[in-house]
Amino acid sequence: MLIKWVQTLGLSLLLMVSAHADLTIEITQGSEGALPIAIVPFQQPVTGAPTQNVDQIVTSDLARSGRFQPLPVADMLSRPVQPNQVDFRDWRALNVENLVIGQVDAKGPGAFDVSFRLYDVYRGEQILGYTLQASADELRSTSHRIADLIYETLTGNKGAFDTRIAYVTSIADQTGKPTIHLRVADADGYNPSSIVSSSDPIMSPSWSPDGQKIAYVSFENGRSSIYVQEIYTGAREKLTSFKGINGAPVWSPDGTKIALTLSKGGNPDIYIMDVRSKKLTQLTSHWAIDTEPAWSPDGRFIVYTSDRGGNPQIYRVEADGGKAYRMTFEGKYNAKASYSPDGKQLTLVTRVGEDYRIGLMDLRTRDIRLLSTGDLDESPSFAPNGDMIIYATRNKNRGVLAAVSTDGRVEQRLVLQAGDVREPAWSPFHQ
């Protein structure tokens, strides 16, 4: 790699422990005042019952957001399925503010209708209700969509449960020889698949805006190259393999360009490649190291890391070229910045003493607020709704992933069942 710039509630809720989950998600800090909600077990069809439990998936999604406190099923006074079975007095007695009921109906071999209703308990009225069609293979995704709808209705922000994450893992065999995998999984750690496996390093995954492709760096044959790979077909294309550094690819918001770092001119600089024509345009030209580009949501600007001021700091330049402006002045190390989806903040890695932490910069005030507490936290990536940031850290001498809400009130740890994990990237919303 070019340079490795380089009130707690005491919750310890372990979620999603399953042979089908690649990552185990542990809530290490939840939001004080999390919203009390009850998700009643959904009615299942008598025959042709699905293998996925929709209400449990919805419950897990809302719980791991840290913003909801689901009522345990054992504490429920009743378990209604139909609207006429709901007695709001039962739920008020339990101090539940919102109630979800639903059912799964078989509509043929491997086909289901999933219906749910969301109620405001204290107003005694329905505030949301849908029926969604799903195949057996789509039930997990449909469950995540239900959680997204509930989340958006109750928080005012779009949910991101029905998204995915990409990450790099290193798993050693019995002889200690590691195999590197670029994996994609659901945001809750389920349905993992390796899209690339290699004995050589893989790094810097970046999602295309449509969520269909990933650009990444591979060191096959002993040199760095940038590839773009289609997730579902496995087809891949080599974009660059110049002498020296080929690194840090990142897609433009419209998917027509990729910003990247190349040293083919003798020094690491930022370039922009037109994805269709493969034409390269050099964006920076400086004796310093310029790397780790990231686009603004409107595509007008690119921020990047440069040590042109004597140590790594964040700079910004217009995507069409022009003068570079320094963005960070606090501290001697700020790197790996990326924009929030609304373009109002940057997440970055900042050095505090001898530790590297995840920070959040307000672009209006330029203030940086620390969000993590580790000693080697890196590679932050925003959720597509801007509510959470996923990043890489260390725990008990293992590489793990962690996530923190942008207000700092909710923290999670995502632990791979085997090996080390690093370099996470959160997907865009499904299109």
Side-chain angles (χ1 to χ4, degrees), residues 387-399:
D387 279 0
M388 300 285 289
I389 296 170
I390 194 169
Y391 61 95
T393 186
R394 303 290 297 178
N395 181 51
K396 298 179 180 178
N397 295 319
R398 285 183 60 192

Side-chain angles (χ1 to χ4, degrees), residues 200-201 218-225 241 244:
D200 299 307
S218 174
F219 281 77
E220 298 171 32
N221 302 315
R223 64 186 301 173
S224 64
S225 301
S241 189

Side-chain angles (χ1 to χ4, degrees), residues 256-278:
T256 64
K257 302 178 180 68
I258 290 178
L260 60 157
T261 300
L262 301 174
S263 64
K264 68 187 188 71
N267 204 67
D269 282 301
I270 307 298
Y271 289 74
I272 294 178
M273 174 181 282
D274 183 282
V275 173
R276 178 171 293 182
S277 69
K278 306 302 184 292

Side-chain angles (χ1 to χ4, degrees), residues 18-338:
S18 166
H20 301 291
D22 199 37
L23 296 167
T24 297
I25 301 178
E26 180 186 40
I27 299 176
T28 55
Q29 177 174 301
S31 176
E32 185 175 7
L35 186 66
I37 190 170
I39 300 96
V40 179
F42 283 24
Q43 180 175 279
Q44 303 281 357
V46 176
T47 59
T51 57
Q52 302 288 350
N53 195 312
V54 173
D55 57 271
Q56 290 185 6
I57 297 170
V58 172
T59 298
S60 292
D61 281 349
L62 296 178
R64 68 185 172 85
S65 76
R67 301 183 185 274
F68 295 89
Q69 183 179 347
L71 182 72
V73 173
D75 293 344
M76 296 180 182
L77 301 178
S78 59
R79 299 185 186 182
V81 175
Q82 300 295 338
N84 60 5
Q85 298 173 336
V86 175
D87 187 339
F88 291 108
R89 294 172 298 181
D90 289 346
W91 308 102
R92 293 176 188 137
L94 295 168
N95 295 317
V96 169
E97 294 188 19
N98 293 99
L99 171 69
V100 179
I101 66 170
Q103 60 190 81
V104 180
D105 297 315
K107 292 298 178 181
F112 303 92
D113 279 352
V114 183
S115 305
F116 77 97
R117 299 171 187 264
L118 172 65
Y119 294 94
D120 184 310
V121 169
Y122 288 97
R123 287 161 53 189
E125 61 184 39
Q126 179 179 319
I127 54 177
L128 184 68
Y130 280 95
T131 296
L132 306 175
Q133 297 179 337
S135 67
D137 291 339
E138 296 169 336
L139 278 172
R140 286 202 68 86
S141 179
T142 298
S143 303
H144 294 319
R145 289 174 59 197
I146 292 172
D148 283 340
L149 290 165
I150 294 170
Y151 186 92
E152 183 173 7
T153 300
L154 297 180
T155 70
N157 202 12
K158 192 172 182 179
F161 303 116
D162 192 25
T163 57
R164 293 171 294 173
I165 54 175
Y167 52 93
V168 176
T169 71
S170 176
I171 301 176
D173 61 19
Q174 293 180 347
T175 67
K177 182 180 179 180
T179 299
I180 314 301
H181 304 269
L182 174 55
R183 286 186 176 170
V184 172
D186 295 350
D188 62 358
Y190 276 76
N191 298 323
S193 62
S194 292
I195 67 170
V196 183
S197 297
S198 176
S199 58
D200 299 307
I202 299 170
M203 58 185 59
S204 304
S206 172
W207 291 88
S208 62
D210 62 5
Q212 302 298 306
K213 300 176 181 179
I214 291 181
Y216 62 93
V217 177
S218 174
F219 281 77
E220 298 171 32
N221 302 315
R223 64 186 301 173
S224 64
S225 301
I226 295 175
Y227 291 87
V228 168
Q229 183 153 335
E230 295 183 10
I231 294 173
Y232 296 107
T233 68
R236 74 171 184 164
E237 177 183 16
K238 184 187 289 186
L239 293 188
T240 68
S241 189
F242 296 106
K243 182 179 180 180
I245 295 164
N246 298 263
V250 60
W251 295 81
S252 65
D254 63 4
T256 64
K257 302 178 180 68
I258 290 178
L260 60 157
T261 300
L262 301 174
S263 64
K264 68 187 188 71
N267 204 67
D269 282 301
I270 307 298
Y271 289 74
I272 294 178
M273 174 181 282
D274 183 282
V275 173
R276 178 171 293 182
S277 69
K278 306 302 184 292
K279 178 183 177 181
L280 281 169
T281 302
Q282 187 169 348
L283 189 61
T284 69
S285 181
H286 199 277
W287 54 262
I289 295 173
D290 295 342
T291 187
E292 300 175 339
W295 298 79
S296 62
D298 60 7
R300 292 180 55 201
F301 301 102
I302 288 178
V303 293
Y304 61 96
T305 307
S306 177
D307 65 350
R308 62 183 62 194
N311 49 62
Q313 298 291 342
I314 305 303
Y315 290 76
R316 188 190 74 182
V317 65
E318 292 188 8
D320 292 333
K323 182 180 179 180
Y325 291 88
R326 183 168 168 175
M327 303 288 287
T328 55
F329 293 88
E330 181 179 341
K332 295 183 177 180
Y333 180 103
N334 293 285
K336 190 58 177 177
S338 60

Side-chain angles (χ1 to χ4, degrees), residues 352 354-357 372-378 393-395:
V352 181
E354 297 301 316
D355 298 333
Y356 294 85
R357 306 276 177 80
S372 71
T373 58
D375 57 10
L376 187 58
D377 302 335
E378 56 186 355
T393 186
R394 303 290 297 178
N395 181 51

